[in-house]
Amino acid sequence: MTKKELFTRVKARTHGVKGREVRQVMDVLLDEIGAALVAGETFKLPTLGTLKVQRHKPIAGADVVICKLRRTKPAGKAKDPLAEPAEES
């Protein structure tokens, strides 16, 4: 997903909010997440999971940050809406 695609999805879900405002909030949010990851902080976001920095290597003009994302599986056996229908006997 690109930043433009993310913006389009967020904008579609924020009725009554101007695109300029969505872009400003999105830019600040992404900057903060990037800075926190470079600093080695761990994110605990219930809808995303836990994002933990495994390795960080600063190189010329960039930072390489290797992260691990841990997501819990949904409780119970929720029916997959894309699953094939069961065959009848």
Side-chain angles (χ1 to χ4, degrees):
M1 176 186 305
T2 65
K3 185 176 175 181
K4 185 176 181 178
E5 291 169 338
L6 178 61
F7 169 78
T8 302
R9 290 182 186 188
V10 171
K11 176 68 177 117
R13 295 182 66 174
T14 54
H15 305 288
V17 180
K18 294 180 181 179
R20 177 174 27 105
E21 295 168 342
V22 171
R23 187 173 311 278
Q24 287 174 340
V25 170
M26 206 174 82
D27 287 345
V28 170
L29 178 66
L30 292 174
D31 286 344
E32 286 297 318
I33 290 173
L37 290 175
V38 169
E41 293 183 43
T42 298
F43 277 78
K44 292 182 182 179
L45 303 171
T47 55
L48 177 66
T50 301
L51 187 64
K52 184 176 182 181
V53 175
Q54 296 294 304
R55 292 188 309 259
H56 172 237
K57 180 180 180 181
I59 59 173
D63 285 303
V64 176
V65 181
I66 308 297
C67 299
K68 182 178 185 180
L69 176 65
R70 181 180 177 137
R71 298 187 74 181
T72 57
K73 293 182 180 179
K77 294 194 177 205
K79 185 176 178 182
D80 182 2
L82 301 177
E84 296 292 326
E87 291 184 22
E88 293 183 25
S89 306

Coordinates of all heavy atoms in Angstrom, one line a residue:
M1 N 0.9 -1.2 0.0 CA 0.0 0.0 0.0 C 0.9 1.2 0.0 O 1.9 1.3 0.8 CB -0.9 0.0 1.2 CG -1.7 1.2 1.3 SD -2.7 1.4 2.9 CE -3.6 -0.1 2.9
T2 N 0.6 2.2 -0.8 CA 1.3 3.4 -0.9 C 0.6 4.5 0.0 O -0.5 4.3 0.5 CB 1.4 4.0 -2.3 OG1 0.0 4.3 -2.7 CG2 2.0 3.0 -3.3
K3 N 1.3 5.6 0.3 CA 0.8 6.6 1.1 C -0.5 7.2 0.4 O -1.5 7.5 1.1 CB 1.8 7.7 1.3 CG 1.4 8.8 2.2 CD 2.6 9.8 2.4 CE 2.2 11.0 3.2 NZ 3.2 12.0 3.4
K4 N -0.5 7.3 -0.9 CA -1.6 7.8 -1.6 C -2.8 6.9 -1.4 O -4.0 7.3 -1.2 CB -1.3 8.0 -3.1 CG -2.4 8.6 -3.9 CD -2.0 8.9 -5.3 CE -3.1 9.5 -6.1 NZ -2.6 9.8 -7.5
E5 N -2.6 5.6 -1.5 CA -3.7 4.6 -1.3 C -4.2 4.7 0.1 O -5.4 4.6 0.3 CB -3.2 3.2 -1.6 CG -2.9 3.0 -3.1 CD -2.2 1.7 -3.4 OE1 -1.5 1.1 -2.4 OE2 -2.2 1.2 -4.5
L6 N -3.3 4.8 1.1 CA -3.8 4.9 2.5 C -4.6 6.2 2.6 O -5.7 6.1 3.3 CB -2.6 5.0 3.4 CG -2.9 5.2 4.9 CD1 -3.7 4.0 5.4 CD2 -1.6 5.3 5.7
F7 N -4.2 7.3 2.1 CA -4.9 8.5 2.1 C -6.3 8.4 1.6 O -7.3 8.8 2.2 CB -4.2 9.7 1.4 CG -5.1 10.9 1.2 CD1 -5.2 11.8 2.3 CD2 -5.7 11.2 0.0 CE1 -6.0 12.9 2.1 CE2 -6.5 12.3 -0.1 CZ -6.7 13.2 0.9
T8 N -6.4 7.7 0.4 CA -7.7 7.5 -0.2 C -8.7 6.7 0.6 O -9.8 7.0 0.8 CB -7.5 6.8 -1.6 OG1 -6.6 7.6 -2.4 CG2 -8.8 6.6 -2.3
R9 N -8.1 5.6 1.3 CA -8.9 4.8 2.2 C -9.4 5.6 3.4 O -10.6 5.5 3.8 CB -8.2 3.6 2.6 CG -8.0 2.6 1.5 CD -7.3 1.4 1.9 NE -6.9 0.5 0.9 CZ -6.4 -0.7 1.0 NH1 -6.2 -1.2 2.3 NH2 -6.1 -1.5 0.0
V10 N -8.5 6.3 4.0 CA -8.8 7.1 5.2 C -9.8 8.2 4.9 O -10.8 8.4 5.6 CB -7.6 7.7 5.9 CG1 -7.9 8.7 7.0 CG2 -6.7 6.6 6.4
K11 N -9.6 8.9 3.8 CA -10.5 9.9 3.3 C -11.9 9.4 3.1 O -12.9 10.0 3.5 CB -10.0 10.6 2.1 CG -10.9 11.7 1.5 CD -11.0 12.9 2.4 CE -11.8 13.9 1.8 NZ -13.0 14.3 2.5
A12 N -12.0 8.2 2.5 CA -13.3 7.6 2.3 C -14.1 7.2 3.6 O -15.3 7.2 3.6 CB -13.2 6.3 1.4
R13 N -13.4 7.0 4.7 CA -14.0 6.7 5.9 C -14.2 7.9 6.8 O -14.8 7.7 7.9 CB -13.2 5.6 6.6 CG -13.1 4.3 5.9 CD -12.3 3.3 6.6 NE -13.0 2.9 7.8 CZ -12.6 2.0 8.6 NH1 -11.6 1.3 8.3 NH2 -13.3 1.7 9.7
T14 N -13.8 9.1 6.5 CA -13.9 10.2 7.3 C -14.8 11.2 6.6 O -14.4 12.2 6.0 CB -12.6 10.9 7.6 OG1 -11.9 11.1 6.3 CG2 -11.7 10.0 8.4
H15 N -16.1 11.0 6.8 CA -17.1 11.9 6.1 C -17.1 13.3 6.8 O -17.1 13.4 8.0 CB -18.5 11.2 6.2 CG -18.5 9.9 5.7 ND1 -18.5 9.6 4.3 CD2 -18.6 8.6 6.2 CE1 -18.5 8.3 4.1 NE2 -18.5 7.7 5.3
G16 N -17.2 14.3 6.0 CA -17.3 15.6 6.5 C -15.9 16.3 6.9 O -15.9 17.4 7.4
V17 N -14.9 15.5 6.7 CA -13.5 16.1 7.0 C -12.8 16.4 5.7 O -12.8 15.5 4.8 CB -12.7 15.0 7.8 CG1 -11.3 15.6 8.1 CG2 -13.4 14.7 9.1
K18 N -12.2 17.5 5.6 CA -11.6 17.9 4.3 C -10.3 17.1 4.1 O -9.6 16.7 5.0 CB -11.2 19.4 4.4 CG -12.4 20.3 4.4 CD -12.0 21.8 4.4 CE -13.3 22.6 4.5 NZ -12.9 24.1 4.6
G19 N -10.0 16.9 2.8 CA -8.8 16.1 2.5 C -7.6 16.7 3.0 O -6.6 16.0 3.4
R20 N -7.5 18.0 3.0 CA -6.3 18.7 3.5 C -6.1 18.4 5.0 O -4.9 18.1 5.4 CB -6.5 20.2 3.3 CG -5.4 21.1 3.9 CD -5.7 22.6 3.5 NE -7.1 22.9 3.3 CZ -7.8 23.6 4.2 NH1 -7.3 24.0 5.3 NH2 -9.1 23.8 3.9
E21 N -7.1 18.3 5.8 CA -7.0 18.0 7.2 C -6.6 16.5 7.4 O -5.8 16.2 8.2 CB -8.4 18.3 7.9 CG -8.7 19.8 7.9 CD -10.1 20.0 8.3 OE1 -11.0 19.1 8.3 OE2 -10.4 21.2 8.7
V22 N -7.2 15.6 6.6 CA -6.9 14.2 6.7 C -5.4 14.1 6.4 O -4.7 13.3 7.1 CB -7.7 13.4 5.7 CG1 -7.2 11.9 5.6 CG2 -9.2 13.4 6.1
R23 N -4.9 14.7 5.3 CA -3.5 14.6 4.9 C -2.6 15.1 6.0 O -1.5 14.5 6.3 CB -3.2 15.4 3.6 CG -1.8 15.2 3.1 CD -1.6 15.8 1.7 NE -2.6 15.4 0.7 CZ -2.7 14.3 0.0 NH1 -1.7 13.4 0.2 NH2 -3.6 14.1 -0.8
Q24 N -2.9 16.3 6.7 CA -2.1 16.8 7.7 C -2.0 15.8 8.9 O -0.9 15.6 9.4 CB -2.7 18.1 8.2 CG -2.5 19.3 7.2 CD -3.2 20.6 7.7 OE1 -4.1 20.5 8.5 NE2 -2.8 21.7 7.2
V25 N -3.1 15.3 9.3 CA -3.1 14.4 10.5 C -2.3 13.1 10.1 O -1.5 12.6 10.9 CB -4.5 14.0 10.9 CG1 -4.5 12.9 11.9 CG2 -5.2 15.2 11.5
M26 N -2.5 12.6 8.9 CA -1.9 11.4 8.4 C -0.3 11.6 8.3 O 0.4 10.8 8.8 CB -2.4 11.0 7.0 CG -2.2 9.5 6.7 SD -3.1 9.1 5.2 CE -1.8 9.6 4.1
D27 N 0.1 12.8 7.8 CA 1.5 13.1 7.8 C 2.2 13.1 9.1 O 3.3 12.5 9.4 CB 1.8 14.4 7.0 CG 1.5 14.3 5.5 OD1 1.5 13.2 5.0 OD2 1.4 15.4 4.9
V28 N 1.5 13.8 10.1 CA 2.0 13.9 11.5 C 2.1 12.5 12.1 O 3.1 12.1 12.7 CB 1.2 14.8 12.3 CG1 1.6 14.7 13.8 CG2 1.4 16.2 11.8
L29 N 1.1 11.7 11.9 CA 1.0 10.3 12.5 C 2.1 9.5 11.9 O 2.8 8.8 12.7 CB -0.4 9.7 12.2 CG -0.6 8.3 12.7 CD1 -0.5 8.2 14.2 CD2 -1.9 7.7 12.1
L30 N 2.3 9.5 10.6 CA 3.4 8.7 10.0 C 4.8 9.1 10.5 O 5.7 8.3 10.7 CB 3.2 8.7 8.5 CG 2.0 8.0 7.9 CD1 1.9 8.2 6.4 CD2 2.0 6.5 8.3
D31 N 5.0 10.5 10.6 CA 6.2 11.0 11.1 C 6.5 10.5 12.5 O 7.6 10.1 12.8 CB 6.2 12.5 11.0 CG 6.4 13.1 9.6 OD1 6.8 12.3 8.7 OD2 6.1 14.3 9.5
E32 N 5.5 10.6 13.4 CA 5.7 10.1 14.8 C 6.0 8.6 14.8 O 6.8 8.2 15.6 CB 4.4 10.5 15.6 CG 4.3 11.9 15.9 CD 5.4 12.5 16.7 OE1 5.8 11.8 17.7 OE2 5.9 13.6 16.5
I33 N 5.3 7.8 14.1 CA 5.5 6.4 14.1 C 6.9 6.1 13.6 O 7.6 5.3 14.2 CB 4.5 5.6 13.2 CG1 3.1 5.7 13.9 CG2 4.9 4.2 13.0 CD1 2.0 5.2 13.0
G34 N 7.3 6.8 12.5 CA 8.7 6.6 12.0 C 9.8 6.9 13.0 O 10.7 6.2 13.3
A35 N 9.6 8.1 13.7 CA 10.6 8.5 14.7 C 10.6 7.6 15.9 O 11.7 7.3 16.4 CB 10.2 10.0 15.1
A36 N 9.5 7.1 16.3 CA 9.4 6.2 17.4 C 10.1 4.9 17.1 O 10.8 4.3 18.0 CB 7.9 6.0 17.9
L37 N 9.9 4.4 15.9 CA 10.5 3.1 15.5 C 12.0 3.3 15.5 O 12.7 2.4 15.9 CB 9.9 2.6 14.2 CG 8.5 2.1 14.2 CD1 8.0 1.8 12.8 CD2 8.3 1.0 15.2
V38 N 12.5 4.4 14.9 CA 13.9 4.6 14.9 C 14.5 4.7 16.3 O 15.6 4.2 16.5 CB 14.3 5.9 14.0 CG1 15.7 6.3 14.2 CG2 13.9 5.6 12.6
A39 N 13.7 5.2 17.2 CA 14.2 5.3 18.6 C 14.1 4.0 19.3 O 14.5 3.9 20.5 CB 13.3 6.4 19.3
G40 N 13.5 3.0 18.7 CA 13.4 1.6 19.3 C 12.2 1.4 20.2 O 12.1 0.4 20.9
E41 N 11.2 2.3 20.1 CA 10.0 2.1 20.9 C 9.1 1.0 20.3 O 9.1 0.7 19.2 CB 9.2 3.4 20.9 CG 9.8 4.6 21.6 CD 9.0 5.8 21.6 OE1 7.8 5.7 21.9 OE2 9.6 6.9 21.4
T42 N 8.3 0.4 21.2 CA 7.4 -0.7 20.9 C 6.0 -0.1 20.8 O 5.6 0.7 21.6 CB 7.4 -1.8 21.9 OG1 8.7 -2.4 21.9 CG2 6.4 -2.9 21.6
F43 N 5.2 -0.5 19.8 CA 3.9 0.0 19.6 C 2.9 -1.1 20.0 O 3.1 -2.3 19.6 CB 3.6 0.3 18.1 CG 4.0 1.6 17.7 CD1 5.3 1.9 17.4 CD2 3.1 2.7 17.6 CE1 5.7 3.1 17.1 CE2 3.5 3.9 17.2 CZ 4.8 4.2 16.9
K44 N 1.9 -0.8 20.8 CA 0.9 -1.7 21.2 C -0.5 -1.1 20.7 O -1.0 -0.3 21.4 CB 0.9 -2.0 22.7 CG 2.1 -2.8 23.1 CD 2.1 -3.1 24.6 CE 3.3 -3.8 25.0 NZ 3.4 -4.1 26.4
L45 N -0.9 -1.5 19.6 CA -2.1 -1.0 19.0 C -3.1 -2.1 18.8 O -2.9 -3.0 18.0 CB -1.9 -0.3 17.7 CG -0.9 0.9 17.7 CD1 -0.5 1.3 16.3 CD2 -1.4 2.0 18.5
P46 N -4.2 -2.2 19.6 CA -5.1 -3.3 19.6 C -5.6 -3.8 18.2 O -5.6 -4.9 17.9 CB -6.3 -2.8 20.4 CG -5.7 -1.8 21.3 CD -4.7 -1.1 20.5
T47 N -5.9 -2.8 17.3 CA -6.4 -3.3 16.0 C -5.2 -3.7 15.1 O -5.5 -4.5 14.2 CB -7.1 -2.1 15.3 OG1 -6.3 -1.0 15.2 CG2 -8.4 -1.8 16.1
L48 N -4.0 -3.3 15.3 CA -2.9 -3.7 14.5 C -2.1 -4.9 15.1 O -1.8 -5.8 14.5 CB -2.0 -2.5 14.3 CG -0.7 -2.8 13.5 CD1 -1.0 -3.2 12.0 CD2 0.2 -1.6 13.5
G49 N -1.8 -4.7 16.4 CA -1.0 -5.7 17.1 C 0.1 -5.0 17.8 O 0.1 -3.8 18.1
T50 N 1.2 -5.8 18.1 CA 2.3 -5.2 18.8 C 3.5 -5.2 17.8 O 3.9 -6.3 17.3 CB 2.7 -6.1 20.0 OG1 1.6 -6.1 20.9 CG2 3.9 -5.5 20.7
L51 N 4.0 -4.0 17.5 CA 5.1 -3.8 16.6 C 6.4 -3.5 17.4 O 6.4 -2.6 18.2 CB 4.8 -2.7 15.7 CG 5.7 -2.4 14.5 CD1 5.8 -3.6 13.5 CD2 5.3 -1.2 13.8
K52 N 7.4 -4.4 17.3 CA 8.6 -4.3 18.1 C 9.8 -4.3 17.2 O 9.9 -5.0 16.2 CB 8.7 -5.5 19.0 CG 9.8 -5.4 20.0 CD 9.8 -6.6 21.0 CE 10.9 -6.5 21.9 NZ 10.9 -7.7 22.9
V53 N 10.7 -3.3 17.5 CA 11.9 -3.2 16.7 C 12.9 -4.4 17.0 O 13.2 -4.6 18.2 CB 12.6 -1.8 16.9 CG1 13.9 -1.8 16.2 CG2 11.7 -0.7 16.5
Q54 N 13.3 -5.1 16.0 CA 14.3 -6.2 16.2 C 15.7 -5.7 16.0 O 16.6 -6.0 16.8 CB 14.0 -7.3 15.2 CG 12.6 -8.0 15.5 CD 12.6 -8.7 16.8 OE1 13.4 -9.6 17.1 NE2 11.6 -8.3 17.6
R55 N 15.9 -4.9 15.0 CA 17.2 -4.4 14.7 C 17.1 -3.0 14.1 O 16.1 -2.7 13.4 CB 18.0 -5.3 13.7 CG 18.3 -6.6 14.2 CD 19.2 -7.4 13.3 NE 18.7 -7.5 11.9 CZ 18.1 -8.6 11.4 NH1 17.9 -9.6 12.1 NH2 17.7 -8.6 10.2
H56 N 18.1 -2.2 14.3 CA 18.1 -0.8 13.7 C 19.6 -0.6 13.2 O 20.5 -0.8 14.0 CB 17.7 0.2 14.8 CG 17.9 1.6 14.3 ND1 18.7 2.5 15.0 CD2 17.4 2.3 13.2 CE1 18.7 3.7 14.4 NE2 17.9 3.6 13.3
K57 N 19.7 -0.1 12.0 CA 21.0 0.2 11.4 C 20.9 1.5 10.7 O 20.3 1.6 9.6 CB 21.4 -0.9 10.5 CG 22.8 -0.7 9.9 CD 23.2 -1.8 9.0 CE 24.6 -1.6 8.4 NZ 25.0 -2.7 7.5
P58 N 21.5 2.5 11.2 CA 21.6 3.8 10.5 C 22.6 3.7 9.3 O 23.7 3.2 9.5 CB 22.0 4.8 11.5 CG 22.6 4.1 12.6 CD 22.1 2.7 12.5
I59 N 22.2 4.1 8.1 CA 23.1 4.1 7.0 C 23.0 5.5 6.4 O 22.2 6.4 6.8 CB 22.7 3.1 5.9 CG1 21.3 3.3 5.4 CG2 22.9 1.7 6.5 CD1 20.9 2.4 4.3
A60 N 23.9 5.8 5.4 CA 24.0 7.1 4.8 C 22.6 7.5 4.2 O 22.1 6.9 3.3 CB 25.1 7.1 3.8
G61 N 22.0 8.5 4.8 CA 20.8 9.1 4.2 C 19.5 8.3 4.6 O 18.4 8.6 4.1
A62 N 19.6 7.3 5.4 CA 18.4 6.5 5.8 C 18.6 5.7 7.1 O 19.7 5.7 7.6 CB 18.1 5.5 4.7
D63 N 17.6 5.1 7.6 CA 17.6 4.2 8.7 C 17.0 2.9 8.3 O 15.9 2.9 7.7 CB 16.8 4.8 9.9 CG 17.6 5.9 10.6 OD1 18.7 5.7 11.0 OD2 17.0 7.0 10.7
V64 N 17.6 1.8 8.5 CA 17.1 0.5 8.3 C 16.5 0.0 9.6 O 17.3 -0.2 10.6 CB 18.1 -0.5 7.7 CG1 17.5 -1.9 7.5 CG2 18.6 0.0 6.3
V65 N 15.2 -0.2 9.7 CA 14.6 -0.7 10.9 C 13.9 -2.0 10.6 O 13.0 -2.0 9.8 CB 13.6 0.4 11.5 CG1 13.0 -0.1 12.8 CG2 14.3 1.7 11.7
I66 N 14.3 -3.1 11.3 CA 13.7 -4.4 11.1 C 12.7 -4.6 12.3 O 13.1 -4.5 13.4 CB 14.7 -5.5 11.1 CG1 15.8 -5.2 10.0 CG2 14.0 -6.9 10.8 CD1 15.3 -5.2 8.6
C67 N 11.4 -4.8 12.0 CA 10.4 -4.9 13.0 C 9.7 -6.3 13.0 O 9.7 -6.9 11.9 CB 9.3 -3.8 12.8 SG 10.0 -2.2 13.0
K68 N 9.1 -6.6 14.1 CA 8.3 -7.8 14.2 C 6.9 -7.4 14.6 O 6.8 -6.7 15.6 CB 9.0 -8.7 15.2 CG 8.3 -10.0 15.4 CD 9.0 -10.9 16.4 CE 8.4 -12.3 16.6 NZ 9.2 -13.1 17.6
L69 N 5.9 -7.9 13.9 CA 4.6 -7.6 14.2 C 3.9 -8.8 14.7 O 3.9 -9.9 14.1 CB 3.8 -7.1 12.9 CG 2.3 -6.8 13.1 CD1 2.1 -5.7 14.1 CD2 1.7 -6.5 11.8
R70 N 3.3 -8.7 15.9 CA 2.6 -9.9 16.5 C 1.2 -9.5 16.6 O 0.8 -8.5 17.2 CB 3.2 -10.2 17.9 CG 2.5 -11.4 18.5 CD 3.0 -11.7 19.9 NE 2.3 -12.7 20.5 CZ 2.8 -13.8 21.1 NH1 4.1 -13.8 21.3 NH2 2.0 -14.7 21.6
R71 N 0.3 -10.3 16.0 CA -1.1 -10.1 16.0 C -1.8 -11.3 16.6 O -1.4 -12.5 16.3 CB -1.7 -9.9 14.6 CG -1.1 -8.7 13.9 CD -1.8 -8.5 12.6 NE -3.1 -7.9 12.9 CZ -4.0 -7.6 12.0 NH1 -3.7 -7.8 10.8 NH2 -5.2 -7.1 12.4
T72 N -2.7 -11.1 17.5 CA -3.4 -12.3 18.1 C -4.5 -12.7 17.1 O -5.1 -11.9 16.3 CB -4.1 -11.9 19.4 OG1 -5.0 -10.8 19.2 CG2 -3.1 -11.5 20.4
K73 N -4.7 -14.0 17.1 CA -5.7 -14.6 16.2 C -7.1 -14.3 16.8 O -7.2 -14.2 18.0 CB -5.5 -16.1 16.0 CG -4.3 -16.4 15.3 CD -4.1 -17.9 15.1 CE -2.9 -18.2 14.3 NZ -2.7 -19.6 14.1
P74 N -8.1 -14.1 16.0 CA -9.5 -13.9 16.5 C -9.9 -15.0 17.4 O -9.6 -16.2 17.1 CB -10.3 -13.7 15.3 CG -9.4 -13.7 14.1 CD -8.1 -14.1 14.5
A75 N -10.7 -14.7 18.4 CA -11.2 -15.8 19.3 C -12.3 -16.6 18.6 O -13.0 -16.0 17.8 CB -11.8 -15.1 20.6
G76 N -12.3 -17.8 18.9 CA -13.3 -18.7 18.3 C -13.0 -18.9 16.8 O -12.0 -18.5 16.2
K77 N -13.9 -19.7 16.2 CA -13.8 -20.0 14.8 C -14.8 -19.2 14.0 O -15.9 -19.6 13.7 CB -13.9 -21.5 14.5 CG -12.8 -22.3 15.2 CD -12.8 -23.7 14.6 CE -11.7 -24.4 15.2 NZ -11.2 -25.5 14.4
A78 N -14.4 -17.9 13.7 CA -15.3 -17.1 12.9 C -15.4 -17.6 11.5 O -14.4 -18.1 10.9 CB -14.8 -15.6 12.9
K79 N -16.5 -17.6 10.9 CA -16.7 -18.0 9.6 C -16.1 -17.1 8.6 O -16.3 -15.9 8.6 CB -18.2 -18.1 9.2 CG -18.5 -18.8 7.9 CD -20.0 -18.9 7.7 CE -20.2 -19.5 6.3 NZ -21.7 -19.6 6.0
D80 N -15.3 -17.7 7.7 CA -14.6 -16.9 6.7 C -15.6 -16.5 5.6 O -16.1 -17.4 4.9 CB -13.4 -17.7 6.1 CG -12.6 -16.9 5.1 OD1 -12.9 -15.7 4.8 OD2 -11.7 -17.5 4.5
P81 N -15.8 -15.2 5.4 CA -16.8 -14.8 4.4 C -16.4 -15.2 2.9 O -17.2 -15.2 2.0 CB -16.9 -13.3 4.5 CG -15.6 -12.9 5.2 CD -15.2 -14.1 6.0
L82 N -15.1 -15.5 2.7 CA -14.6 -15.9 1.4 C -14.5 -17.4 1.2 O -14.0 -17.8 0.2 CB -13.3 -15.2 1.1 CG -13.4 -13.6 1.1 CD1 -12.0 -13.1 0.9 CD2 -14.3 -13.1 0.1
A83 N -14.8 -18.1 2.3 CA -14.7 -19.6 2.2 C -15.7 -20.2 1.2 O -16.7 -19.7 0.9 CB -14.9 -20.2 3.6
E84 N -15.2 -21.3 0.6 CA -16.1 -22.0 -0.3 C -17.2 -22.7 0.4 O -17.0 -23.2 1.5 CB -15.2 -23.1 -1.0 CG -14.1 -22.6 -1.9 CD -14.6 -21.8 -3.1 OE1 -15.7 -22.2 -3.7 OE2 -14.0 -20.8 -3.5
P85 N -18.4 -22.7 -0.2 CA -19.5 -23.4 0.5 C -19.3 -24.9 0.6 O -18.6 -25.5 -0.2 CB -20.7 -23.1 -0.4 CG -20.2 -22.7 -1.7 CD -18.8 -22.2 -1.5
A86 N -19.8 -25.5 1.7 CA -19.6 -26.9 1.9 C -20.4 -27.7 0.9 O -21.5 -27.3 0.5 CB -20.0 -27.3 3.3
E87 N -19.9 -28.9 0.5 CA -20.6 -29.7 -0.5 C -21.8 -30.4 0.3 O -21.6 -30.8 1.4 CB -19.7 -30.7 -1.1 CG -18.7 -30.1 -2.0 CD -17.8 -31.2 -2.7 OE1 -18.3 -32.4 -2.8 OE2 -16.7 -30.8 -3.1
E88 N -22.9 -30.6 -0.4 CA -24.0 -31.3 0.2 C -23.9 -32.8 -0.1 O -23.5 -33.2 -1.2 CB -25.3 -30.7 -0.4 CG -25.6 -29.3 0.0 CD -26.9 -28.8 -0.5 OE1 -27.8 -29.6 -0.7 OE2 -27.0 -27.6 -0.7
S89 N -24.3 -33.6 0.8 CA -24.3 -35.1 0.7 C -25.4 -35.6 -0.1 O -26.5 -35.2 0.0 CB -24.2 -35.7 2.0 OG -23.1 -35.2 2.8

